[in-house]
Amino acid sequence: MSSENTLDDEDTFKILIATDIHLGYLEKDAIRGNDSFNTLDEILKCAKTNEVDFILLGGDLFHENKPSRRCLHNCITTLRKYCMGDTPIHFDILSDQTVNFNTSKFPWVNYQDENLNISIPAFSIHGNHDDPTGAEGLCALDLLSASGLVNHFGHSQSVESIEISPILMQKGNTKLALFGLGSIPDERLHRMFVNNQVTMLRPKEDQDEWFNLFAIHQNRSKHGPTNYIPEQFLDDFLDLVVWGHEHECLIAPSRNEQQLFYVTQPGSSVATSLSPGEATKKHIGLLRVKGRKMNLQKIPLKTVRQFFIQDVVLGDYQDLFTPDTPQVTKKVENLCYAKVTEMLEEAERERLGCPLTPEKPLIRLRVDYSGGFDTFHTSRFSQKFVDRVANPKDIIHFLRRREQKEDNKDEVNVDYGSLLKTPAAEGLRVEDLVKQYFAATEQTVQLSLLTEHGMGKALQEFVDKDEKDAIEELITYQLEKTQRHLQARAVTTEQDIDTEIQRFRDSKKNTTEEDNEIKEAISRAKAHRMEQGDEPVDGDFSNELALDSDEGSVPPAPPTRGRGRGSRGRGGRRRGRGAAPPEPKPAGRGRSQKSSAATQSRSIMQAFQASSQRSSRTSDEMIIDDSDEEVLMKTTRPPPRPAAASSSSSFPKYSSQSQSQSSKGVAFDDSDDEDEDPFKGPSHRSRR
């Protein structure tokens, strides 16, 4: 470590590399809500401590496309805390910045803005979670870019061809070309690579003197025939590829023997799924570049919550029990209890001496119960660890091995269309898909409180209208009503409670009471959103949804008698917007409830769309496209902006299959202790 400071001279770039921070993930969770914010603080603090030249983020800075106010506030506060200051910048930008930052109203790097005082510039591409949407193609990173906190680059506006122009930097005698490509649907980008529609530009002068760094956010592992980007698609003049989107931390650079470049995969800084890839220790990278040589130092993250996962195959414990053993379920539960306890003890040992590590770890035990075993009550089991783990609701995951029906060893000739059959999925609504799922699923994972109809309606509101609280409010409302019912019936034993809950749930199926409960829960969700001041869903999906979002500009019309016989539509929850006459107000929010049988009999989806169809009094038919695919594909983008003359004249075009180079001279050392000079002599390589 002592040699690092002597090697950080005026010719050495120091770059902090991180990907997939996922700010705002589970921010409403009482235990895990601050995990992503704490880790961002640690990453930026590490950048300031190591006095890096700039920060490179590989996409998915935010977990949601529309981050909450709390999430944006925490992000802006942290960036301002660590990235602003009087520390001078020691590198220059040589390329045409109007091309590099062509989507910004301020097309120049933020530290060159005379109104800002930036000490550590941050460069970021967008990921698939925070990708640009809407007619103007904006994303959350554009808000940070307009405020001067982040330099958003790598945004391609064309769907026909992609031209990647690098940001050319120079520090002393070291020249760095930073390429970036934000997230694009993998199938589309795969097709564009195959058709040679992806072009990477290089400077005409002194091409062999530039260190070429590329940031990409796509599938690296194969998820289908074209649902990934092979490394061989990338140009062979690259020196290092920073691969985002994949959450498994494989930060040690691996060499691609065909293209002769190195790939580093930093992985995510917060576990967003309980899968084995998330269980690897999380790191960020400190990259040093001097001339054509590089060194990557791994830096472990200390604020990341521990995650332990283990698999148990019950068929492997024939010496302890079999499916025919008396009280076998109790013995299986005891085995799982012992396994979870072992993981908790291991977590406690690893956490010693690390005060920044959260106290409660994530625990996942995957139990394979193939062979005739039965499952036990996972909720009752989780209650034993509610004060010791961060995810008490999903500790146990039961699974069964699928029988191999046919031999698919030849991956090239696999008929994926026959394996993934989705007949007539385009014509189904979300609630229909929910009903089909619960009709085909096992008895152990059926709904206990909610009905399939209620869950489908709430999910429909979440998908089509962006009512984020619809499902939560429906669950809360049903839970409160069920608790009152159980108290009124004076049920005490656990078995009687389960039986009474099932009877109470079945008694409401396909009744007017069920529709009223759904309407009440969705009204609560809308009222909750209005109290928070959240904007309604953007009107960029379809014409029908656009009418809903712009209904404030339509003058109120008197209520009409449609097919619902006296229904008043959905405008009542939007007071102050002049949308429509108010509907009966729910009593759950402290307001009086006035409902009629006529109002209750009307379909709730008709009520939602009634206010947008007020002007057409003679039409009784409302056609609404509920296809998820159509909604997603309606996003439009502005036409591609012509490249500046200076850029086209200074860069020759290289297709995705460029000529190979005879010598690259790249060396790396990923060890934490740098006792030797990491900048070793160039290794001459030739390609056949």
Side-chain angles (χ1 to χ4, degrees):
M1 292 293 182
S2 59
S3 61
E4 291 180 2
N5 294 331
T6 60
L7 295 173
D8 296 340
D9 54 22
E10 59 183 9
D11 295 330
T12 304
F13 271 100
K14 293 177 63 178
I15 309 167
L16 189 79
I17 297 177
T19 64
D20 297 88
I21 298 176
H22 286 275
L23 282 179
Y25 175 70
L26 290 183
E27 61 179 330
K28 295 183 179 181
D29 190 278
I31 301 176
R32 305 164 62 185
N34 292 322
D35 285 3
S36 59
F37 304 124
N38 294 336
T39 304
L40 176 65
D41 187 272
E42 180 186 5
I43 292 172
L44 297 184
K45 184 177 181 180
C46 180
K48 187 172 184 178
T49 302
N50 288 277
E51 299 178 351
V52 300
D53 291 300
F54 65 88
I55 301 170
L56 178 61
L57 302 178
D60 279 353
L61 175 60
F62 296 98
H63 182 69
E64 294 186 0
N65 188 268
K66 299 176 182 178
S68 65
R69 292 180 181 177
R70 175 177 179 247
C71 182
L72 281 173
H73 179 265
N74 277 292
C75 179
I76 293 173
T77 302
T78 309
L79 287 170
R80 180 172 178 177
K81 177 181 178 181
Y82 292 106
C83 295
M84 285 189 168
D86 298 327
T87 305
I89 307 297
H90 298 291
F91 67 92
D92 298 320
I93 305 292
L94 306 181
S95 56
D96 186 355
Q97 299 185 50
T98 59
V99 177
N100 301 140
F101 310 109
N102 57 352
T103 60
S104 175
K105 299 293 184 180
F106 308 96
W108 54 81
V109 69
N110 59 352
Y111 75 84
Q112 292 182 353
D113 194 312
E114 60 183 7
N115 298 316
L116 301 174
N117 206 13
I118 304 297
S119 60
I120 304 178
F123 295 86
S124 177
I125 61 175
H126 62 263
N128 60 305
H129 280 257
D130 50 11
D131 60 325
T133 58
E136 298 181 358
L138 297 177
C139 63
L141 283 178
D142 291 315
L143 299 179
L144 302 181
S145 176
S147 60
L149 295 172
V150 170
N151 300 291
H152 180 206
F153 73 110
H155 182 190
S156 175
Q157 296 177 306
S158 174
V159 297
E160 299 179 354
S161 62
I162 298 176
E163 190 173 83
I164 306 175
S165 180
I167 303 175
L168 302 181
M169 309 176 182
Q170 183 170 1
K171 182 180 181 182
N173 296 323
T174 300
K175 298 179 180 180
L176 175 68
L178 177 60
F179 297 83
L181 181 62
S183 177
I184 296 176
D186 291 285
E187 295 86 351
R188 182 196 303 170
L189 185 59
H190 189 283
R191 182 174 61 252
M192 297 176 76
F193 269 113
V194 171
N195 297 332
N196 292 325
Q197 296 174 330
V198 180
T199 305
M200 302 186 75
L201 305 180
R202 298 183 66 186
K204 291 181 178 179
E205 301 82 8
D206 305 324
Q207 290 186 358
D208 294 335
E209 296 182 3
W210 291 88
F211 184 91
N212 300 291
L213 177 62
F214 182 37
I216 186 173
H217 191 97
Q218 304 291 153
N219 279 336
R220 186 183 181 190
S221 58
K222 188 174 182 179
H223 296 276
T226 61
N227 196 18
Y228 77 113
I229 304 299
E231 295 178 7
Q232 287 73 18
F233 281 4
L234 306 183
D235 289 271
D236 58 1
F237 67 82
L238 296 172
D239 296 308
L240 178 65
V241 177
V242 178
W243 208 294
H245 183 64
E246 299 288 352
H247 281 205
E248 183 178 3
C249 183
L250 302 173
I251 198 169
S254 60
R255 179 179 175 180
N256 185 294
E257 296 298 337
Q258 181 175 346
Q259 299 296 91
L260 300 182
F261 53 63
Y262 290 93
V263 179
T264 177
Q265 182 178 302
S268 65
S269 58
V270 61
T272 59
S273 64
L274 301 179
S275 60
E278 297 277 16
T280 56
K281 303 302 179 184
K282 306 293 186 181
H283 293 81
I284 55 176
L286 181 58
L287 176 66
R288 291 179 171 86
V289 177
K290 184 176 182 180
R292 295 295 305 280
K293 293 163 286 188
M294 72 176 184
N295 165 266
L296 183 62
Q297 175 188 350
K298 297 190 299 184
I299 301 178
L301 293 173
K302 300 178 181 179
T303 58
V304 176
R305 190 175 297 275
Q306 296 170 292
F307 176 34
F308 294 89
I309 185 171
Q310 189 173 345
D311 293 335
V312 172
V313 180
L314 298 183
D316 296 342
Y317 294 87
Q318 298 290 339
D319 55 334
L320 297 179
F321 46 74
T322 64
D324 299 328
T325 302
Q327 297 184 344
V328 61
T329 304
K330 184 64 176 178
K331 295 182 178 181
V332 170
E333 186 173 349
N334 292 337
L335 174 65
C336 295
Y337 182 87
K339 294 294 183 181
V340 173
T341 303
E342 290 177 4
M343 288 188 282
L344 286 173
E345 292 175 352
E346 182 181 357
E348 183 66 26
R349 289 191 298 268
E350 288 189 6
R351 196 170 63 250
L352 294 177
C354 299
L356 298 179
T357 303
E359 180 180 357
K360 297 180 180 180
L362 297 171
I363 300 294
R364 168 54 69 93
L365 185 66
R366 301 192 300 185
V367 182
D368 185 347
Y369 66 104
S370 303
F373 291 93
D374 292 329
T375 62
F376 54 81
H377 201 289
T378 57
S379 299
R380 187 187 309 133
F381 178 86
S382 300
Q383 290 299 318
K384 303 175 183 179
F385 303 96
V386 68
D387 295 328
R388 302 179 62 186
V389 300
N391 59 318
K393 296 181 180 179
D394 48 12
I395 298 177
I396 302 294
H397 176 57
F398 286 104
L399 53 90
R400 288 188 298 182
R401 292 191 303 268
R402 294 184 178 179
E403 297 181 0
Q404 192 70 18
K405 297 183 179 180
E406 59 182 89
D407 189 7
N408 291 327
K409 293 182 179 179
D410 187 5
E411 292 185 0
V412 178
N413 299 322
V414 171
D415 185 7
Y416 289 96
S418 62
L419 296 179
L420 303 175
K421 293 182 179 179
T422 55
E426 296 81 11
L428 293 178
R429 298 176 300 173
V430 174
E431 53 261 41
D432 297 330
L433 295 176
V434 172
K435 291 180 180 178
Q436 289 184 6
Y437 170 80
F438 286 107
T441 191
E442 300 174 4
Q443 185 65 29
T444 56
V445 291
Q446 290 291 337
L447 294 172
S448 298
L449 295 179
L450 305 181
T451 60
E452 293 83 1
H453 179 63
M455 176 61 75
K457 290 295 185 181
L459 191 59
Q460 181 80 29
E461 286 295 301
F462 178 83
V463 172
D464 288 351
K465 304 296 177 61
D466 200 20
E467 290 290 351
K468 299 179 180 179
D469 298 326
I471 300 177
E472 180 181 352
E473 288 290 345
L474 179 62
I475 295 174
T476 302
Y477 181 81
Q478 292 282 14
L479 182 61
E480 294 173 354
K481 192 163 186 177
T482 304
Q483 289 174 343
R484 291 195 298 267
H485 175 77
L486 294 177
Q487 291 175 356
R489 298 297 296 269
V491 182
T492 56
T493 64
E494 183 174 340
Q495 183 177 1
D496 293 341
I497 290 176
D498 293 339
T499 304
E500 188 62 31
I501 290 177
Q502 182 68 26
R503 184 184 300 113
F504 180 65
R505 173 180 174 273
D506 294 339
S507 65
K508 297 183 297 182
K509 281 188 175 181
N510 302 322
T511 62
T512 305
E513 181 182 3
E514 182 185 21
D515 292 334
N516 292 339
E517 290 177 357
I518 298 171
K519 183 181 297 184
E520 169 66 12
I522 296 177
S523 299
R524 284 189 176 191
K526 293 179 181 178
H528 185 56
R529 186 195 65 202
M530 297 297 292
E531 291 173 359
Q532 292 181 337
D534 292 342
E535 293 294 330
V537 62
D538 290 346
D540 58 350
F541 296 126
S542 63
N543 294 333
E544 292 85 352
L545 295 179
L547 288 174
D548 286 343
S549 63
D550 297 334
E551 65 183 6
S553 61
V554 180
T560 59
R561 293 180 59 87
R563 289 182 297 172
R565 290 194 291 176
S567 173
R568 294 183 178 271
R570 59 168 244 180
R573 302 303 304 173
R574 305 198 174 204
R575 295 182 300 171
R577 297 176 58 87
E583 72 177 37
K585 303 174 182 177
R589 296 283 179 179
R591 303 181 180 94
S592 61
Q593 183 176 8
K594 300 179 181 179
S595 60
S596 63
T599 303
Q600 297 171 357
S601 64
R602 179 165 181 171
S603 170
I604 188 169
M605 293 306 296
Q606 297 174 8
F608 285 145
Q609 289 127 14
S611 60
S612 63
Q613 304 290 339
R614 294 286 179 163
S615 59
S616 176
R617 299 187 57 179
T618 60
S619 175
D620 290 336
E621 296 293 332
M622 293 183 289
I623 302 176
I624 297 175
D625 187 0
D626 291 327
S627 171
D628 293 341
E629 181 179 358
E630 285 295 321
V631 172
L632 291 174
M633 294 302 295
K634 286 184 180 295
T635 303
T636 59
R637 300 182 184 275
R641 190 175 300 178
S646 60
S647 173
S648 60
S649 61
S650 60
F651 291 104
K653 292 186 178 181
Y654 281 71
S655 67
S656 59
Q657 302 297 333
S658 65
Q659 297 179 352
S660 62
Q661 58 185 15
S662 60
S663 174
K664 296 171 67 71
V666 179
F668 72 89
D669 180 10
D670 64 347
S671 61
D672 293 339
D673 297 330
E674 321 287 1
D675 294 333
E676 299 179 359
D677 184 359
F679 304 110
K680 302 176 183 179
S683 58
H684 299 281
R685 297 177 291 178
S686 61
R687 299 189 57 201
R688 297 180 181 178

